[in-house]
Amino acid sequence: MILPYPLLWITVILPMLLGIIAWPLRSRPGLHAMFYLSAASLIIPLIIVIYGYASGTLEAGSLVDPLYFNLTRYSVGTIALGIDGLSAPVIIGLSIVTSFVVIYSIKYMETRISEMEESGERPPGLGTYLLLYNIFAATMLGLAYSTNLVEFYVFLEGSLISSFLLIAFYGYGDRRRISLLYFVWTHIGAVVFLTGALYLGYLTHSFDYLTLLNGQLVSVGSVEYIGSAATLIAALLLFGLFVKMAVFGVHMWLPYAHAEAPTPISALLSPNLIGLAGYAIARFVIPLFPTQMESWRDFLLGLAFTTIIYAGLVALRQTDFKRFLAYSSISQMGYMLLGLATLNEYGIMGAMLIYLSHAIGKALLFMSAGVFITEAHGLRDITKMGGLARRYPLVAALALFGFMNLVGLPPSIGMWSEIYVVLGIVKSLLFINLVTMFGLSLLLIVALTITAAYSFITMRRVFYGQPRSKIEARERVDGFKLAMLAVAVFGVVFFLAINPLTTGLSAAISHVVLLSGFGGGQ
């Protein structure tokens, strides 16, 4: 369905324009108004997706923006924006989290900037923060809308540069070194991805995903069209996305960057940005290179379990709350990769639902950490916490809901994502030998147990038991915490309204699976 207006381009451009307007402002009421306007602009994609589900469009097809750029003459293809059943859960997660985190940012960033000024620093003001935040949020939306590999790369670099500056300007610790570490690692990933994309475009004369999937590649026997280069191109794309996704072996940058970023940015980096790499694997790599992905399935399954278990065990050892959350994000990306590695409808559906559940759950947890950093004199050491549920009952309840999303307990989207990933694993196991079935089943049980352990042990250490430090602050329900509550409410709503999401996902993934010529184990 063609949208009547270029709404998707508006959702990308409008937040940036609001950020530019806010940049020179010095008036506190004026800046606050711009923050709320930015939140309103970032919730528009959610409204568009809801309209798509209500009209039945996302269950049968896609929403396409009428404004596009035809660069076929230059071998680039068409630059367009669209939403389908595969990208809809991703856009829902992005819209909800970016919209309410910008409201949450008001109090947090005012406190952070005041702390920096009191220590003798001269950080950029709140207007600069909003400009960079809106660019970051808008470019992530652009990544989810993209239908062209070059377009995807442009938005990828936009999200990298804006988030790099946010860490460098407003982060903690040795923020300039850490922001540079983050920039170098993730830029390497982006460049490797671009190299694979350029090689593919050179051989096929197009970077347009829809053309490649429905035309040139599939019609001539999939990747055989590009011959022996297919394996190299697939490896380059996959490795670049693995760096962005922070799977085991290329994860070293994430604990530093996400732990020392200002907490509102951590709430976007960890659940939203890194998960977009998993979405790109489902969108580009699996459908365009099914033969290579199927031959690498055992390796991908092993890498996924290694990521889940390694990062989960390291998370258990952490004493810094934000660093714990960073390692748990790596572990959650292992689950996303696990779903993708099944190469069947159930597993890929589970992976996309993990994106949504992780976006909601991890945003709530980072926002909970930010409450204590702001209101309890920078408290983030878990060994000095304990008993905080007595002083912060609402935050404790919201953090518990965040952990429930990670573990997969109702009423969280995490329950549905876990069910579909397990179904994907079961479907894959039906066609392999008994020993491998037993081994993978055992690994799955271990992985789920470790996830539950680090979630609820940390919940107990932070919020229950005897207080381990004298904290005078008490909970006051304000916009800071109401923004968190809104994220949780949307999480429950989509837990209940799961049918449109799964129907749209099923339609989109089934189309890709049929075109790609594999059945994920069948």
Side-chain angles (χ1 to χ4, degrees), residues 142-160:
L143 287 168
Y145 295 148
S146 293
T147 61
N148 186 292
L149 289 166
V150 170
E151 177 187 18
F152 184 88
Y153 173 76
V154 170
F155 282 123
L156 192 65
E157 289 290 43
S159 66
L160 169 58

Side-chain angles (χ1 to χ4, degrees), residues 408-426:
L409 297 178
S412 72
I413 297 287
M415 185 192 82
W416 298 116
S417 65
E418 187 172 298
I419 287 172
Y420 279 105
V421 168
V422 172
L423 284 173
I425 291 289
V426 170

Side-chain angles (χ1 to χ4, degrees), residues 386-506:
L388 289 176
R390 302 172 191 174
R391 294 182 177 273
Y392 285 89
L394 176 60
V395 173
L398 295 172
L400 177 60
F401 185 68
F403 281 123
M404 289 166 69
N405 273 275
L406 304 191
V407 177
L409 297 178
S412 72
I413 297 287
M415 185 192 82
W416 298 116
S417 65
E418 187 172 298
I419 287 172
Y420 279 105
V421 168
V422 172
L423 284 173
I425 291 289
V426 170
K427 187 175 182 180
S428 296
L429 294 179
L430 292 177
F431 300 92
I432 57 181
N433 63 71
L434 189 62
V435 175
T436 306
M437 285 179 61
F438 177 78
L440 286 178
S441 300
L442 184 62
L443 283 173
L444 185 60
I445 292 170
V446 171
L448 293 172
T449 302
I450 289 173
T451 302
Y454 72 63
S455 296
F456 293 120
I457 287 174
T458 303
M459 183 72 194
R460 178 184 59 80
R461 293 173 69 195
V462 172
F463 290 100
Y464 298 104
Q466 293 300 315
R468 289 185 288 274
S469 63
K470 294 181 179 179
I471 301 173
E472 300 299 327
R474 286 188 176 275
E475 186 170 76
R476 183 169 64 88
V477 178
D478 51 15
F480 201 40
K481 301 174 188 69
L482 290 177
M484 297 172 61
L485 180 61
V487 173
V489 168
F490 273 109
V492 175
V493 167
F494 283 103
F495 166 79
L496 298 172
I498 191 64
N499 190 59
L501 273 71
T502 54
T503 304
L505 277 166
S506 179

Side-chain angles (χ1 to χ4, degrees), residues 352-405:
M352 295 302 100
L353 292 176
I354 281 174
Y355 184 97
L356 179 54
S357 66
H358 186 235
I360 290 170
K362 194 52 66 66
L364 286 171
L365 290 167
F366 270 114
M367 292 163 89
S368 299
V371 168
F372 303 129
I373 291 171
T374 303
E375 297 185 358
H377 308 291
L379 180 64
R380 50 192 284 180
D381 186 344
I382 296 174
T383 62
K384 296 179 180 178
M385 295 180 174
L388 289 176
R390 302 172 191 174
R391 294 182 177 273
Y392 285 89
L394 176 60
V395 173
L398 295 172
L400 177 60
F401 185 68
F403 281 123
M404 289 166 69
N405 273 275

